[in-house]
Amino acid sequence: MTELGSADTVYTSSAYRTIDVGSLMRTGHPDIAEGDEHIVSVVRGMRARLGRPLRVLDVGSGSGDLSLLLVRALPDTAVIANDIAANPLAQARDKLAPYPTASVSFERFEDYSGEVDVVVSWGTHHHLSHDYLKHVAEILSPDGVLIIGDEFCPEYLSDTDQKRLAQSEEIEVVDGYLFDSAADVESYRSTGRVPDWNEGLEQARRLALWHWYKFVIDFAVAHEAWTVVMAELAICRDDLETGNADEHKTSPYLLERELELNGFSVVERAVIGDRPVELSSFVLYTCRPPAVPDVRTGA
Ligand SMILES: C[S@@+](CC[C@H](N)C(=O)[O-])C[C@H]1O[C@@H](n2cnc3c(N)ncnc32)[C@H](O)[C@@H]1O
């Protein structure tokens, strides 16, 4: 397989060709293994509720640890591990090879077609373009769900920021800056000037991230997970660089607003880890897609 992604990140770099970063993260990084368990329990509940085998797309599956847990827990479920990075996807293919209902898909999620009952986006949201939620809605079956969980930047948007964003339908991240008005985006593009509010949000994001990454890296050191330490140092650097589109974590509230703007309704919100808000990064949402209008009634 050749690389589809262009940037040199821990997911694409040849330095990680033989290292399974995804597996190492399950012990050397806080909250990921706990999030896996939560996702498996949500899919198991859905399988029981619908009473039929499911098709599950694991978007940005990395090396397939979650896909493996899903197919082991639900052997009649078709699990598709989807990623654009050749190294981890080859590792996922090896792990899933013994399971006939599992497969891999080496293509951008945005190009994936075919109906699925569950889209899982686990740790992938902050790597994707912010309009991919529209594609999720296109491929979900009518009774399908989106399970979306991420390593967010711990909530850095104040109540006032959130109230302001709740009023806007034009939320956009441009060069790493969060905008809530098309006019401000246009002005930024023509002058290069970032308004004070938007600049302040970016500074708040960086400070919140720095606090979080120190906790993550200390956790990895305490677990003697040195590969995770190195990977997280690189990821932290990328994330603190405002305009780095490959690594840009935003806040849980922002995803909630984006879900709302795209017509998704949240049926469950689970925060992983029992810590203060500044050290709460992993949040998982189970969401119903936008209702398809009834062609007979238009409702
Ligand atoms: C943090 S990793 C996700 C880890 C994985 N879900 C797990 O459970 O271990 C993010 C992944 O998203 C993938 N990715 C980025 N853009 C993508 C896209 N457009 N379509 C599919 N995968 C993408 C990256 O290659 C990377 O492997």
Side-chain angles (χ1 to χ4, degrees):
M1 284 193 277
T2 51
E3 306 282 358
L4 284 179
S6 54
D8 200 20
T9 66
V10 297
Y11 308 106
T12 57
S13 162
S14 58
Y16 288 87
R17 197 170 295 288
T18 56
I19 301 172
D20 187 339
V21 184
S23 281
L24 295 172
M25 293 276 183
R26 264 65 195 181
T27 49
H29 192 297
D31 300 347
I32 297 179
E34 293 80 359
D36 286 345
E37 280 173 31
H38 181 82
I39 294 168
V40 172
S41 78
V42 172
V43 178
R44 191 184 268 125
M46 189 172 165
R47 167 73 182 83
R49 193 163 43 78
L50 294 184
R52 62 174 173 82
L54 304 174
R55 276 176 69 78
V56 178
L57 182 70
D58 182 5
V59 179
S61 63
S63 64
D65 277 42
L66 175 66
S67 293
L68 182 61
L69 291 175
L70 286 166
V71 77
R72 277 187 182 153
L74 296 158
D76 65 3
T77 291
V79 176
I80 305 140
N82 161 244
D83 207 290
I84 54 167
N87 298 343
L89 202 62
Q91 292 161 343
R93 174 172 283 146
D94 289 347
K95 276 178 208 165
L96 298 172
Y99 300 89
T101 57
S103 57
V104 300
S105 135
F106 183 51
E107 63 190 316
R108 292 167 69 246
F109 165 69
E110 296 86 332
D111 299 328
Y112 181 88
S113 58
E115 192 175 85
V116 294
D117 302 299
V118 183
V119 171
V120 179
S121 169
W122 180 214
T124 305
H125 170 71
H126 67 274
H127 293 278
L128 297 172
S129 62
H130 280 240
D131 56 3
Y132 79 99
L133 290 172
K134 291 186 178 51
H135 188 52
V136 174
E138 284 163 8
I139 64 169
L140 272 181
S141 61
D143 46 11
V145 297
L146 164 66
I147 304 172
I148 182 163
D150 206 1
E151 180 176 2
F152 291 95
C153 176
E155 191 59 68
Y156 62 95
L157 298 169
S158 68
D159 289 350
T160 314
D161 298 329
Q162 292 183 21
K163 280 198 188 105
R164 176 169 164 168
L165 288 163
Q167 302 302 315
S168 173
E169 303 210 342
E170 296 173 333
I171 295 173
E172 203 183 341
V173 177
V174 181
D175 298 338
Y177 293 102
L178 180 59
F179 285 92
D180 66 342
S181 112
D184 284 353
V185 171
E186 202 182 310
S187 158
Y188 164 69
R189 288 200 202 280
S190 59
T191 66
R193 275 201 49 252
V194 181
D196 289 347
W197 179 72
N198 314 64
E199 182 69 54
L201 291 187
E202 177 54 8
Q203 292 314 316
R205 189 187 77 93
R206 285 172 143 183
L207 284 172
L209 280 175
W210 179 235
H211 193 63
W212 168 248
Y213 278 113
K214 282 191 290 186
F215 173 72
V216 169
I217 294 167
D218 280 344
F219 180 100
V221 170
H223 288 75
E224 296 183 25
W226 292 103
T227 305
V228 175
V229 173
M230 303 306 161
E232 288 299 322
L233 285 166
I235 293 169
C236 174
R237 185 211 51 208
D238 289 350
D239 213 345
L240 292 176
E241 198 185 318
T242 299
N244 191 322
D246 289 314
E247 191 67 55
H248 188 86
K249 295 186 174 75
T250 51
S251 91
Y253 174 78
L254 192 63
L255 172 62
E256 287 163 31
R257 183 72 185 121
E258 287 179 308
L259 287 167
E260 195 176 22
L261 288 171
N262 282 280
F264 285 83
S265 45
V266 174
V267 290
E268 189 198 29
R269 179 187 198 269
V271 180
I272 310 296
D274 185 14
R275 294 187 295 270
V277 69
E278 62 273 18
L279 292 179
S280 295
S281 161
F282 282 82
V283 188
L284 272 154
Y285 301 87
T286 304
C287 314
R288 298 276 301 122
V292 180
D294 185 318
V295 282
R296 290 157 306 172
T297 64

